[in-house]
Amino acid sequence: MNSLSGNSRRLVQSALVSLNGVIGEPLRWAGPYFGPGSAGHSLKVLQRSEAMLMGRRTYDLFSRQWPAASGPYAEHINAMRKYVFSSTLQEAEWTNTSVIAGDPAKAVAELKQAPGRDLIVYGHGQFGQTLCDAGLVDELTLTVVPVFVEGATYHRPGALARSWKLVSAGPGHDPGLVSLTYRPARIEDNASGS
């Protein structure tokens, strides 16, 4: 199931990662580096997306943070369609949010087949890893933050090994940051060394 072909939607995963590969609790260590440039870029990415997908932890964090916030980003994220994948959450209070309790990989594969714009996932918790393991992520954008911190790392024990092809690399949207964009490597990419 490859959303890079046909009319199906792309699934884009975006995450903040420290120099030593930590992705856990980015609000604690990435804030000083996330300025107006990053905020503006994040809004553009969000506006290109039709819906946001998230696991329970991201939902708990975002549903507390964004409904009370103001500004263009908050207005857009609050108004857009959102899906939270959880076997324990019964009902979502955040506007335009649906709860999906079944198999996340199957449900996301079905969402990708519907026509429309990108689907966006922020962070890389258990939900994000499940999507990567299932081969559902079409584009992976990492913003590297110049800090060493303790916490949960990007690659979890037991995660499936996958190869990714670098499609762009350069300075991030604020000083000190680096932006890396990857797409899944196909067998022919690996064989040719491209």
Side-chain angles (χ1 to χ4, degrees), residues 130-142:
T130 297
L131 301 183
C132 278
D133 286 350
L136 293 168
V137 177
D138 299 297
E139 188 169 284
L140 181 61
T141 301
L142 303 178

Side-chain angles (χ1 to χ4, degrees), residues 40-179:
H41 175 71
S42 294
L43 178 58
K44 288 179 185 174
V45 171
L46 201 66
Q47 289 171 334
R48 286 196 308 259
S49 305
E50 181 141 340
M52 182 168 59
L53 315 182
M54 67 197 101
R56 174 68 187 264
R57 286 184 183 178
T58 300
Y59 171 78
D60 287 344
L61 177 67
F62 281 17
S63 65
R64 287 193 307 265
Q65 177 183 358
W66 291 113
S70 60
Y73 189 91
E75 288 171 10
H76 195 86
I77 201 171
N78 286 321
M80 74 185 301
R81 168 61 55 199
K82 296 170 284 288
Y83 297 94
V84 57
F85 294 80
S86 173
S87 59
T88 56
L89 184 66
Q90 300 299 314
E91 187 176 338
E93 296 180 6
W94 193 10
T95 306
N96 292 330
T97 303
S98 301
V99 179
I100 299 178
D103 176 5
K106 181 180 177 188
V108 170
E110 291 173 358
L111 285 173
K112 287 181 65 176
Q113 292 309 306
R117 300 188 314 275
D118 290 353
L119 302 172
I120 184 84
V121 175
Y122 287 118
H124 188 77
Q126 183 177 343
F127 174 64
Q129 187 65 59
T130 297
L131 301 183
C132 278
D133 286 350
L136 293 168
V137 177
D138 299 297
E139 188 169 284
L140 181 61
T141 301
L142 303 178
T143 299
V144 182
V145 181
V147 293
F148 290 108
V149 292
E150 292 185 0
T153 58
Y154 197 93
H155 192 76
R156 288 166 166 67
L160 296 180
R162 291 205 175 272
S163 294
W164 296 83
K165 180 179 180 180
L166 181 66
V167 293
S168 71
H173 300 280
D174 282 303
L177 302 176
V178 174
S179 181

Side-chain angles (χ1 to χ4, degrees), residues 16-23 29 143-149 176 178:
L16 298 169
V17 59
S18 74
L19 287 175
N20 57 326
V22 170
I23 51 97
W29 44 265
T143 299
V144 182
V145 181
V147 293
F148 290 108
V149 292
V178 174

